[in-house]
């Protein structure tokens, strides 16, 4: 039996990321699960306009997306609890820069992408930033045959409205494959 | 040790959804993990312009996002393997309509959202559709105190580049909470 919930966003689970930008010349990181894939070379971030990080993304035209492991859950959750206006969140991590030179990335996160801002969609209370990926980085121990193995990454997965952080579960079916059984 | 991967989209894991639209007057569904949250009342879809579904979204100005359980993995994978031009994918499911009357939803999926198209971002090979959620629906057995319990939904979670479908793992930390330990 279906129950009507009203207009409620139920698009979960989503990956928890740490979005990085230099703000006033210093690395800052904000927790976000309002992120996604546009295509093979573009990602988006949706960030409430009140956030400290937005100005840094606009000013530098660059940002990073870092994928923390479950072992970083305290630091990750903390970066969503406090504003960069009040705390030096860059000091929590070891940071590094890539090709773009201005998008700070987190060494402790097994997966990192540095992005160039290519489009901003002005929503009522959010900036939707679309970034072109300039380069991606991964810890060697999370790579299998040159590709990221997300079981090894052990990412944090988020679902409202618990609100709880989940682990990634087991692989159970091959994509673009198991559906072939229904063909014909 | 970090390894540079080149410009590769590593923003995973993502939820696997079935996106619905009426195309030429008939329900059609396409598998997508290129979806995300804009804010509490908006979602986005990024859909390659070659897809059959795009015309239906543009024509009707509406679409649905349905979240399948792992028990629907064959049907879900199949909807990503074959075009609505060649197969009647609407016939795979029992469909229903909500307030918008034109966004077909899937009864067998525990979570459904019907959306009104409010913005389209024209990317080189993708249409990025931003939808305002008009109403949401959930199977009663997946609700706990009126909210969707994603452990009960048992969603399909996707990560390139295996490419494999994963299950959702266990809850392990409370969001907006575990990070408080780092405060002060």
């Amino acid at each position: 039996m279906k129950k009507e919930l009203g207009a409620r966003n139920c698009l979960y689970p989503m990956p928890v990321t740490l979005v990085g930008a230099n703000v006033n010349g210093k690395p800052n990181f904000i927790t976000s699960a309002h992120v996604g894939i546009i295509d093979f070379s573009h990602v988006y971030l949706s960030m409430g306009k009140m956030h400290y990080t937005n100005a840094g993304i606009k000013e530098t035209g660059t940002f990073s997306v870092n994928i923390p492991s479950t072992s970083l859950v305290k630091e990750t959750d903390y970066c969503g609890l406090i504003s960069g206006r009040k705390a030096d969140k860059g000091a929590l991590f070891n940071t590094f820069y890539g090709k773009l030179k201005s998008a700070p990335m987190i060494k402790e996160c097994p997966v990192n992408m540095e992005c160039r801002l290519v489009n901003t969609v002005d929503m009522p209370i959010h900036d939707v930033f679309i970034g072109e990926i300039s380069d991606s980085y991964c810890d060697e121990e999370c790579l299998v045959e040159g590709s990221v193995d997300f079981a090894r990454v052990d990412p944090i997965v988020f679902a409202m409205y618990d609100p709880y952080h989940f682990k990634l579960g087991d692989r159970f079916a091959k994509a673009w494959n198991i559906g072939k059984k229904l063909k014909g």
Side-chain angles (χ1 to χ4, degrees), chain A:
Chain A
M1 190 61 187
K2 292 281 176 197
K3 194 164 155 78
E4 194 180 335
L5 303 178
R8 201 187 301 193
N9 208 324
C10 303
L11 184 46
Y12 293 99
M14 293 299 293
V16 176
T17 70
L18 287 162
V19 170
N22 277 347
V23 191
N24 298 324
K26 279 179 65 176
N28 185 59
F29 299 99
I30 182 170
T31 313
S32 180
H34 292 185
V35 296
I37 295 171
I38 299 290
D39 60 31
F40 290 110
S41 57
H42 294 85
V43 296
Y44 92 95
L45 319 172
S46 182
M47 311 239 305
K49 291 185 188 187
M50 84 297 285
H51 287 305
Y52 183 68
T53 310
N54 296 37
I57 294 176
K58 290 175 184 174
E59 190 189 315
T60 67
T62 63
F63 61 83
S64 73
V65 181
N66 304 272
I67 301 187
S69 295
T70 61
S71 60
L72 282 175
V73 69
K74 270 182 213 157
E75 291 80 357
T76 303
D77 199 59
Y78 174 79
C79 287
L81 284 170
I82 195 155
S83 167
R85 287 185 193 91
K86 292 188 178 169
D88 179 6
K89 294 188 276 185
L92 283 173
F93 307 104
N94 290 300
T95 56
F96 70 104
Y97 291 88
K99 282 183 180 163
L100 295 174
K101 313 281 185 201
S102 58
M105 291 177 278
I106 298 174
K107 272 191 191 156
E108 291 87 342
C109 289
V111 177
N112 323 89
M113 288 174 277
E114 52 172 339
C115 304
R116 193 173 59 82
L117 181 66
V118 294
N119 200 344
T120 304
V121 184
D122 186 34
M123 294 290 291
I125 52 169
H126 287 70
D127 291 317
V128 178
F129 296 119
I130 297 178
E132 182 187 48
I133 301 160
S134 289
D135 211 344
S136 308
Y137 305 85
C138 183
D139 289 353
E140 276 185 342
E141 57 268 32
C142 294
L143 290 169
V144 173
E145 294 175 10
S147 287
V148 182
D149 180 330
F150 279 84
R152 294 184 184 207
V153 169
D154 186 20
I156 304 171
V157 183
F158 177 67
M160 290 279 256
Y161 291 76
D162 287 337
Y164 261 86
H165 297 300
F166 289 75
K167 293 198 177 208
L168 182 64
D170 293 329
R171 288 179 173 88
F172 74 101
K174 203 166 183 187
W176 292 292
N177 188 293
I178 192 167
K180 287 181 187 168
K181 294 179 183 172
L182 288 184
K183 267 194 175 174

